[in-house]
């Protein structure tokens, strides 16, 4: 690479280099997005369905993901790539923010290394290519940390403005995912452990941060208040401990092992080693302490949840933006250049393989990873199979499915055919009341139950479905092949005279069905 002009300030050269690298990686991701044959995950289809009706909240998530999908599809249409486009842009922004934080707290070299570790993190590869809540969450959390870092040494006149920026960023993070609560925990820990952090705040700054945060979040709180706090209840239900074995060491071990694949093997081991050394030496620098307060709570809390109940591998992701900066700073400080290069090289190889697999899923199939792609295959074909059956049936009053994933996938992949005035798509309720947004917004009712095409996903609960009708006929089994070993199956029948049996007052489930 030719030497940069000495007329360009060093800080500008550093930032320009990062921007060029991020732009190149983002272009590669966009190529993969527009070239992949992989279909939307059902959750992505659900978020797309939300984006058709803009609101300040939705059943299971805050509104940011729906807003982002609305914006990108308004530009390019409803194709899969446009539904997912914002993820790559949010992660590009988050990578630049990581560099800016690392440069400000340490050196440009640390900032650049941190940006590389973050951008190539295995978990980020998936996050940058799917429509989900993690990408906007990490971007706005990063902006919040950047504003907080700037607040530490801001002048008295600038503190209220920096604090307001922090409040806005935190509010937008909460509008992305309620896991933004980890930022609040980290902020509280930093204030508790750092006298310098407490001294950085003034009353005008604190008021500015709280007001800005409240103004941004208020519409979502108002929406929840008028919808029975649906999003909060769903978030709490995800963390519920019922129906699982408590105090499970194997679950905790599996979760910790999964973090090698989320954060990367070398960065995760370096993070654990650095934390251990810091506590053993009882000496932590102010900048390290700040980042540790934001990086460790998600990992520790979710590890505890995995031990007590269960936890998904990505639930700790809110801590890895700060964690990438911390690991980069430690590896540079330890002069572990070879380990840093090895970490970046390994993660770059994983990122390259992931992009190739997205463009050509057969590569992943040959590597034995087909199971990881099954949720992104077959939904279009399954939708058309069901709608073809519906077209062959005269005088249908509705189509009803018993699986929310199938409902969302059909809403997306059947959008053109469903708009043509045929029978509406509805959701059959197993329990007395709705358990998800599909059942809440489009339940099968007696008014729609005259003659219904009933669809049982994988044959689940078909006898109970048949027993909810006075007559059931025309059973047909359809399937779609996902790969050489797997296929997706549905069982369809015509139900006439929808008269759902009373549900048990204790379990909420229907009684024992009579033979069809």
């Amino acid at each position: 690479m030719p030497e940069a002009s000495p007329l360009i300030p060093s800080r500008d050269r550093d930032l320009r280099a990062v921007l060029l690298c991020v732009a190149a990686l983002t272009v590669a991701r966009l190529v993969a997005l527009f070239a992949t044959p992989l279909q939307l995950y059902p959750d992505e289809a659900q978020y797309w369905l939300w984006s058709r009706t803009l609101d300040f909240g939705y059943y299971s998530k805050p509104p940011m993901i729906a807003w982002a999908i609305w914006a990108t599809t308004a530009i390019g249409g409803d194709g899969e790539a446009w539904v997912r486009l914002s993820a790559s842009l949010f992660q590009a922004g988050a990578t630049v923010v990581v560099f800016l934080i690392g440069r400000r707290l340490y050196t440009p070299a640390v900032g650049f290394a941190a940006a590389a570790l973050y951008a190539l993190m295995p978990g980020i590869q998936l996050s940058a290519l799917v429509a989900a809540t993690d990408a906007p969450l990490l971007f706005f959390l990063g902006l919040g940390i950047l504003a907080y870092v700037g607040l530490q040494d801001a002048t008295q006149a600038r503190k209220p403005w920096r604090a307001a920026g922090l409040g806005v960023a935190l509010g937008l993070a909460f509008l992305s995912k309620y896991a933004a609560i980890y930022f609040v925990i980290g902020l509280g820990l930093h204030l508790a452990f750092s006298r310098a952090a407490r001294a950085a705040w003034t009353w005008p700054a604190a008021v500015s941060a709280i007001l800005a945060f409240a103004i941004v979040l208020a519409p979502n709180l108002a929406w929840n208040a008028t919808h029975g706090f649906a999003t909060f209840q769903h978030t709490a239900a995800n963390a519920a401990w019922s129906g699982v074995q408590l105090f499970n060491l194997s679950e905790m071990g599996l979760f910790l092992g999964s973090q090698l694949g989320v954060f990367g093997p070398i960065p995760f081991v370096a993070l654990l080693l650095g934390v251990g050394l810091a506590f053993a030496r009882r000496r932590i620098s102010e900048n390290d302490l700040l980042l540790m307060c934001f990086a460790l709570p998600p990992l520790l809390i979710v590890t505890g949840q995995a031990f007590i109940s269960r936890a998904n591998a990505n639930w700790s992701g809110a801590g890895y933006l700060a964690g990438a900066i911390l690991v980069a700073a430690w590896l540079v400080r330890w002069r572990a250049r070879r380990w840093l290069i090895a970490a970046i090289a390994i993660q770059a190889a994983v990122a390259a393989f992931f992009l190739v697999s997205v463009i050509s899923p057969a590569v992943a199939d040959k590597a034995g990873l087909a199971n990881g792609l099954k949720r992104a295959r077959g939904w279009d074909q399954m939708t058309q199979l069901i709608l073809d059956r519906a077209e062959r049936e005269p005088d249908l009053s509705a189509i009803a499915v018993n699986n929310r994933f199938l409902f969302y996938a059909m809403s997306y992949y059947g959008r053109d055919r469903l708009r043509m005035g045929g029978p509406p798509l509805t959701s059959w309720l197993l329990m007395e009341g709705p358990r998800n947004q599909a059942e809440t917004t489009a339940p099968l009712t007696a008014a729609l139950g005259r003659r219904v095409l009933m669809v049982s996903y994988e044959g689940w609960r078909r006898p109970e479905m048949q027993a909810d009708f006075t007559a059931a006929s025309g059973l047909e089994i359809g399937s779609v092949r996902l790969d050489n070993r797997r296929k997706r199956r549905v069982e369809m029948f015509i139900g006439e005279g929808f008269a759902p049996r009373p549900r048990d007052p204790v379990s909420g489930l229907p009684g024992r069905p009579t033979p069809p």
Side-chain angles (χ1 to χ4, degrees):
M1 179 181 294
E3 183 176 347
S5 169
L7 299 177
I8 302 176
S10 174
R11 288 175 61 85
D12 292 343
R13 292 200 303 271
D14 297 332
L15 180 58
R16 186 176 65 178
V18 170
L19 290 175
L20 287 173
C21 292
V22 171
L25 180 57
T26 303
V27 168
R29 286 171 173 164
L30 294 181
V31 169
L33 277 183
F34 282 91
T36 183
L38 294 175
Q39 298 171 12
L40 293 187
Y41 284 75
D43 284 339
E44 295 177 288
Q46 176 183 206
Y47 302 147
W48 169 85
L49 187 60
W50 292 351
S51 75
R52 303 306 89 188
T53 306
L54 291 183
D55 210 335
F56 286 109
Y58 299 92
Y59 181 87
S60 60
K61 295 290 188 297
M64 184 62 69
I65 183 64
W67 295 353
I69 293 172
W70 174 86
T72 54
T73 55
I75 296 171
D78 292 326
E80 289 96 336
W82 291 98
V83 172
R84 293 166 166 158
L85 181 65
S86 64
S88 294
L89 303 182
F90 277 126
Q91 289 295 3
T95 303
V96 175
V97 170
V98 165
F99 166 76
L100 295 175
I101 297 170
R103 183 178 69 174
R104 183 161 191 138
L105 289 178
Y106 302 102
T107 65
V110 169
F112 199 94
L117 288 175
Y118 177 84
L120 299 173
M121 191 188 309
I124 296 302
Q125 307 320 307
L126 178 61
S127 177
L129 292 178
V130 298
T133 54
D134 288 338
L137 170 71
L138 288 167
F139 173 63
F140 291 119
L141 284 181
L143 288 180
I145 294 174
L146 182 61
Y148 184 60
V149 168
L151 178 69
Q152 303 303 303
D153 56 5
T155 63
Q156 292 297 313
R158 289 180 178 271
K159 283 185 184 294
W161 296 103
R162 296 283 174 86
L166 187 158
V168 170
L170 181 57
L172 292 172
F174 268 94
L175 292 181
S176 302
K177 191 174 185 178
Y178 293 147
I181 190 66
Y182 289 125
F183 185 99
V184 179
I185 296 172
L187 179 61
L189 289 174
H190 191 231
L191 292 175
F193 290 127
S194 172
R195 182 180 302 172
R198 295 191 294 272
W201 283 91
T202 63
W203 279 111
V207 171
S208 294
I210 294 171
L211 281 178
F213 172 70
I215 290 171
V216 173
L217 192 58
N220 179 249
L221 293 176
W223 182 93
N224 269 283
T226 58
H227 290 78
F229 292 95
T231 317
F232 295 158
Q233 290 186 32
H234 176 84
T235 303
N238 271 349
W241 300 344
S242 61
V244 295
Q245 179 182 343
L246 299 180
F247 308 115
N248 195 327
L249 282 173
S250 63
E251 280 291 327
M252 185 178 72
L254 287 172
F255 170 76
L256 289 173
S258 72
Q259 301 311 291
L260 297 170
V262 173
F263 195 31
I266 293 177
F268 186 62
V269 172
L271 178 64
L272 298 181
L273 178 62
V275 170
L277 289 174
F279 281 100
R281 295 170 178 173
R282 298 182 180 180
R283 187 175 67 252
I284 305 174
S285 71
E286 279 294 329
N287 291 342
D288 288 3
L289 176 63
L290 185 153
L291 291 174
M292 287 173 67
C293 287
F294 288 110
L296 294 183
L299 179 61
L300 295 176
I301 291 172
V302 180
T303 299
Q305 184 173 351
F307 173 63
I308 295 173
S309 169
R310 62 180 181 85
N312 291 340
N314 68 316
W315 287 1
S316 60
Y320 286 144
L321 185 143
I325 306 167
L326 196 57
V327 166
W330 284 341
L331 290 176
V332 170
R333 187 181 306 160
W334 298 339
R335 298 183 181 180
R337 182 181 179 185
R338 291 183 179 178
W339 286 106
L340 178 58
I341 293 173
I344 294 173
I346 291 171
Q347 300 194 175
V350 171
F353 175 79
F354 185 82
L355 288 176
V356 171
S357 298
V358 168
I359 295 172
S360 179
V363 174
D365 293 348
K366 292 179 180 177
L369 301 175
N371 188 54
L373 300 178
K374 65 182 180 183
R375 287 183 62 196
R377 286 171 157 165
W379 296 111
D380 188 7
Q381 297 89 331
M382 180 61 71
T383 297
Q384 304 316 317
L385 184 151
I386 295 169
L387 293 180
D388 287 346
R389 168 71 189 269
E391 285 188 355
R392 296 194 302 268
E393 294 292 341
D395 197 28
L396 286 180
S397 58
I399 302 169
V401 301
N402 69 347
N403 178 274
R404 66 184 181 92
F405 285 169
L406 184 57
F407 179 91
Y408 300 135
M410 287 191 65
S411 297
Y412 178 78
Y413 286 106
R415 59 190 182 277
D416 293 331
R417 296 176 69 175
L418 290 170
R419 288 172 188 157
M420 296 173 64
L425 178 65
T426 65
S427 185
W428 174 77
L429 275 65
L430 169 68
M431 310 288 282
E432 183 67 31
R435 300 169 300 160
N436 53 60
Q437 186 153 2
E439 295 180 356
T440 301
T441 58
L444 176 63
T445 63
L448 294 170
R450 178 177 48 80
R451 191 170 191 272
V452 186
L453 174 62
M454 299 296 295
V455 184
S456 170
Y457 184 75
E458 299 290 347
W460 182 77
R461 297 284 185 174
R462 179 172 59 81
E464 287 95 330
M465 295 174 71
Q466 291 175 318
D468 273 349
F469 290 86
T470 58
S473 60
L475 178 63
E476 176 185 348
I477 298 175
S479 64
V480 171
R481 184 158 293 282
L482 307 180
D483 54 56
N484 291 333
R485 297 176 54 192
R486 298 169 183 85
K487 63 182 180 179
R488 184 173 292 122
R489 178 174 59 87
V490 292
E491 297 183 8
M492 299 175 282
F493 66 91
I494 298 298
E496 297 181 88
F498 183 55
R501 291 165 300 138
R503 270 43 177 175
D504 183 272
V506 177
S507 69
L509 294 170
R512 184 177 298 277
T514 56

